[in-house]
Amino acid sequence: MSVAPMIEVDGLEVVFGHGSRAFRAVRGISFSVEAGTSFGLVGESGSGKTTVLRAIGGLLPQSAHVSGLMRLAGETLGIERSRAFRRRVQIVFQDPYGSLHPRHTVDQILGEPARVHGLHRVDDRIRRALLEVGLDASFRFRYPHQLSGGQRQRVAVARALIIEPEIVLLDEPTSALDVSVQAEVLNVLGRLRREHGLTYVLVSHNLAVVSHMCDQLAVMQHGMVVETLNVGQMRTDTPEHPYTKQLVRASRGYDRAAVETLEEFEV
Amino acid sequence: MKRQPLLVVEDLRVTFDTPRGRVEAVRGVSFELGREKLGIVGESGSGKSQTGRALLGLIAGNGRIEAKRLSFDGIDLLAADQRTLRSIRGARISMIMQDPKFSLNPVISVGEQIVEAYRVHTKASKREARERALNMLSAVRIRHPEHVFDAYPHEVSGGMGQRIMIAMMMIPEPDIIIADEPTSALDVTVQIQVLAILDDMVKERGTGLLFISHDLNLVASFCDRVLVMYAGRVVETVAARDLRSAKHPYTRGLMNCLPRIEGDGSDLPVLKRDPEWAQ
Ligand SMILES: Nc1ncnc2c1ncn2[C@@H]1O[C@H](COP(=O)(O)OP(=O)(O)OP(=O)(O)O)[C@@H](O)[C@H]1O
Ligand SMILES: Nc1ncnc2c1ncn2[C@@H]1O[C@H](COP(=O)(O)OP(=O)(O)OP(=O)(O)O)[C@@H](O)[C@H]1O
Ligand SMILES: [Mg+2]
Ligand SMILES: [Mg+2]
């Protein structure tokens, strides 16, 4: 018997609003992620990447209409997410400034999810979580504004990990960080995945970050997946879809000639 | 004969008073900006944004700006009165801020904000302004400009918010654009298209562009020259095409931290800072 993938998304649709204002942000996408691997989502701005993460995490606003199937280790997910689900799946948001409560200390920020999930030995867990992301005990009673961007993002990672999830959804986890801090955070994420067998879904505009972190990736455009490929295909520059080829070329830097050759892909 | 630079900055200092003492965010930065694309790179906290903001006098209340010289098109910005400064800001020097979502008013539609920003600097009618706003939104490759025009900031994606800000700043056709991480939330194809628009403004209209970014590869391929900042100072100024072969160990360290598409996924080198660099 084969083991079910950790995450399966099958024909996912997300529509915002109603009637003439209805907008189909995600238009029937499917992918699956094996346990312990890391899956990248790249693609056009506004193509629905964040919306997909929010749909998996059960964090879409009331105004969103969701259809299609999502399964976690073979179990179908409903609209309401149980506390047990929330313990298994955590999201790290893009913005390290906005996502931490400004008047809570690092200690409170990390302690809250542990208490909500009724975990024991919270004190130990906080200490361990900080250590895991490479922050020493002196950070424990600081406020977010007393931390650098990279330190905040590490606190956000620690908060996601403190309840020992199996799946971590990462939305542009390093795009607000400078390259040296990005390297630190990516190293931490890579090590934690290896040590704890975590499964990641990583959204990023940076193809180098995705190549570095992921095994497979899906390329999105207009709410659809145009291609799913192995990182090997990215590294050897052999994607199939013309849009993916454009992405790879554009990620080599600014090139006026490349700009002129860009094509619009209409739906 | 050499053309007069648009902007001359000499020994710029930005200092903040905080309960824990003085913070010297910018410590003696000098450069000239011509009709070119000048990049500023450097690690977080090195003073890139404060350098850009100081040129417009946009420093927090606890901060102080000092300089030997700060002149724009022959105007002494340090001595200029408030009226002169107001007529320069936005209309002749504009800045695309680092956090687009924070800069947009959440309760006013996107289109109305662009129209208002434009009408502050010109006597354009509402219709004209709307027309230009829609044109500019499509110029920054927003696919459904009418839809986005009526949207509220929480209804647009991260990358759209950034392009809305860029559109807003470019409509008055300023002489200098200070762009602070203007494309960090854009996918790479849209990014190079938006940069091409800025590139055209520099080449065709002679705009001076100060381009602040963490993305070393992008700066190397897009800009003409690059200032490399560390701890409030410029440690090195290089031609952009030479950035990848820069001499300074700090610049080299930053380049080494970058993951690569062809990389093998093993741990990345992190920067080992040397106190000498701050001298
Ligand atoms: N609450 C909402 N109400 C209405 N439309 C929304 C809402 N949230 C997102 N959208 C729309 O859904 C589409 C997809 O947005 P999403 O944030 O998922 O894009 P994205 O791929 O993450 O883009 P980016 O790379 O710019 O962050 C966009 O067109 C956006 O305007
Ligand atoms: N209002 C303030 N009070 C005290 N210190 C400040 C204030 N604003 C900025 N600073 C400090 O000034 C320094 C330079 O900040 P600046 O925003 O210019 O950095 P940056 O190079 O733009 O970094 P990043 O890449 O993270 O945007 C930082 O150490 C910052 O903490
Ligand atoms: Mg997004
Ligand atoms: Mg900055």
Side-chain angles (χ1 to χ4, degrees):
Chain A
M1 207 193 81
S2 68
V3 186
M6 189 54 124
I7 303 170
E8 273 176 286
V9 173
D10 195 356
L12 177 67
E13 291 257 353
V14 180
V15 179
F16 289 109
H18 301 276
S20 64
R21 293 258 309 156
F23 182 77
R24 289 173 71 204
V26 177
R27 309 171 178 221
I29 75 161
S30 306
F31 60 86
S32 65
V33 187
E34 300 299 322
T37 68
S38 190
F39 189 86
L41 273 182
V42 305
E44 228 178 15
S45 167
S47 61
K49 303 179 299 294
T50 298
T51 305
V52 170
L53 287 196
R54 288 185 173 273
I56 297 173
L59 292 173
L60 284 171
Q62 294 284 319
S63 64
H65 180 76
V66 186
S67 57
L69 269 181
M70 290 183 281
R71 289 194 206 88
L72 210 73
E75 241 172 86
T76 301
L77 296 175
I79 294 182
E80 298 295 320
R81 299 296 157 81
S82 62
R83 179 171 293 186
F85 170 86
R86 299 212 175 278
R87 186 157 176 206
R88 293 174 76 182
V89 181
Q90 285 288 303
I91 299 200
V92 176
F93 293 101
Q94 166 170 9
D95 177 14
Y97 300 90
S99 67
L100 302 178
H101 194 298
R103 281 189 300 277
H104 286 178
T105 61
V106 170
D107 180 75
Q108 289 169 299
I109 289 166
L110 297 182
E112 199 218 48
R115 283 184 199 99
V116 165
H117 288 280
L119 303 185
H120 298 294
R121 309 173 61 111
V122 172
D123 197 64
D124 272 357
R125 283 176 188 270
I126 293 174
R127 229 174 303 185
R128 200 151 17 98
L130 281 175
L131 222 56
E132 296 230 72
V133 296
L135 295 174
D136 65 52
S138 75
F139 287 94
R140 187 164 168 182
F141 296 100
R142 290 205 204 176
Y143 290 91
H145 72 266
Q146 298 170 319
L147 306 174
S148 75
Q151 290 162 349
R152 283 181 226 210
Q153 197 59 313
R154 282 189 273 179
V155 171
V157 171
R159 175 178 58 182
L161 292 172
I162 196 160
I163 57 172
E164 299 173 358
E166 294 160 51
I167 295 172
V168 186
L169 309 174
L170 301 152
D171 196 358
E172 299 274 5
T174 61
S175 71
L177 305 178
D178 74 55
V179 293
S180 65
V181 180
Q182 167 172 279
E184 286 171 33
V185 171
L186 294 181
N187 288 346
V188 167
L189 287 171
R191 180 170 53 75
L192 293 171
R193 178 164 74 93
R194 289 193 299 274
E195 287 173 4
H196 301 278
L198 301 173
T199 306
Y200 289 161
V201 181
L202 171 80
V203 169
S204 178
H205 286 306
N206 188 325
L207 296 195
V209 166
V210 172
S211 287
H212 180 77
M213 295 291 290
C214 299
D215 307 285
Q216 271 209 313
L217 65 144
V219 181
M220 287 187 67
Q221 205 185 17
H222 309 306
M224 294 181 287
V225 170
V226 299
E227 182 171 7
T228 305
L229 65 167
N230 287 319
V231 164
Q233 280 171 276
M234 280 259 289
R235 291 192 183 139
T236 54
D237 201 0
T238 51
E240 304 254 313
H241 194 280
Y243 178 65
T244 317
K245 288 184 183 158
Q246 284 192 2
L247 273 185
V248 173
R249 177 153 188 209
S251 72
R252 304 210 179 278
Y254 180 73
D255 172 356
R256 191 65 213 229
V259 176
E260 304 307 336
T261 65
L262 288 178
E263 280 173 52
E264 287 278 327
F265 298 95
E266 284 305 328
V267 259
Chain B
M1 210 190 81
K2 208 179 149 224
R3 274 222 271 176
Q4 189 83 340
L6 279 170
L7 181 77
V8 181
V9 176
E10 209 182 309
D11 201 20
L12 174 68
R13 291 167 188 278
V14 178
T15 316
F16 294 100
D17 284 318
T18 75
R20 284 185 296 172
R22 288 179 58 174
V23 176
E24 299 185 308
V26 180
R27 306 184 300 143
V29 163
S30 303
F31 63 91
E32 291 186 352
L33 175 68
R35 301 175 186 281
E36 60 175 331
K37 292 165 285 180
L38 178 63
I40 305 186
V41 301
E43 65 178 339
S44 181
S46 58
K48 305 182 295 297
S49 295
Q50 297 308 325
T51 299
R53 300 178 69 108
L55 304 177
L56 284 175
L58 296 174
I59 295 289
N62 63 333
R64 201 167 55 244
I65 303 169
E66 290 161 301
K68 285 216 183 81
R69 198 166 155 213
L70 212 59
S71 87
F72 160 66
D73 196 20
I75 305 165
D76 180 355
L77 293 177
L78 293 166
D81 55 30
Q82 279 304 319
R83 235 188 92 227
T84 313
L85 285 179
R86 264 200 307 275
S87 70
I88 292 173
R89 272 184 212 146
R92 300 200 61 197
I93 306 182
S94 69
M95 181 157 181
I96 301 165
M97 298 286 183
Q98 194 165 4
D99 302 299
K101 288 247 176 168
F102 287 127
S103 323
L104 289 171
N105 186 333
V107 297
I108 302 179
S109 77
V110 162
E112 223 173 303
Q113 294 190 53
I114 305 180
V115 164
E116 276 321 302
Y118 182 51
R119 280 161 48 91
V120 167
H121 302 299
T122 59
K123 298 194 172 59
S125 72
K126 275 214 158 149
R127 264 221 7 244
E128 258 176 274
R130 184 188 152 88
E131 196 83 339
R132 283 204 62 125
L134 286 171
N135 285 342
M136 212 59 210
L137 287 175
S138 28
V140 293
R141 300 297 188 272
I142 284 184
R143 212 173 276 278
H144 307 290
E146 268 98 9
H147 178 84
V148 170
F149 192 92
D150 292 329
Y152 287 86
H154 73 275
E155 297 175 334
V156 303
S157 75
M160 285 179 193
Q162 208 160 38
R163 280 177 285 169
I164 290 162
M165 288 306 296
I166 294 173
M168 225 156 135
M169 293 307 147
M170 290 201 317
I171 287 178
E173 307 199 330
D175 298 296
I176 293 180
I177 297 179
I178 303 164
D180 196 352
E181 300 279 0
T183 60
S184 60
L186 302 182
D187 65 90
V188 286
T189 59
V190 172
Q191 178 174 61
I192 63 173
Q193 293 178 71
V194 168
L195 292 182
I197 301 168
L198 290 169
D199 198 11
D200 287 345
M201 292 193 69
V202 174
K203 291 208 176 93
E204 288 161 18
R205 300 197 47 259
T207 308
L209 176 66
L210 196 60
F211 187 81
I212 300 172
S213 177
H214 284 140
D215 190 334
L216 293 137
N217 280 323
L218 193 67
V219 169
S221 55
F222 177 64
C223 292
D224 302 306
R225 294 188 300 137
V226 186
L227 309 174
V228 183
M229 287 192 71
Y230 180 75
R233 290 212 170 157
V234 173
V235 297
E236 178 170 44
T237 305
V238 288
R241 75 181 87 85
D242 297 332
L243 189 62
R244 293 190 182 94
S245 52
K247 297 275 165 347
H248 199 284
Y250 167 62
T251 315
R252 300 186 68 90
L254 289 176
M255 294 298 300
N256 288 339
C257 293
L258 292 171
R260 287 174 305 125
I261 289 190
E262 310 79 24
D264 62 2
S266 55
D267 273 5
L268 298 164
V270 293
L271 196 63
K272 293 187 186 63
R273 291 167 188 78
D274 183 339
E276 286 267 299
W277 299 342
Q279 298 310 301

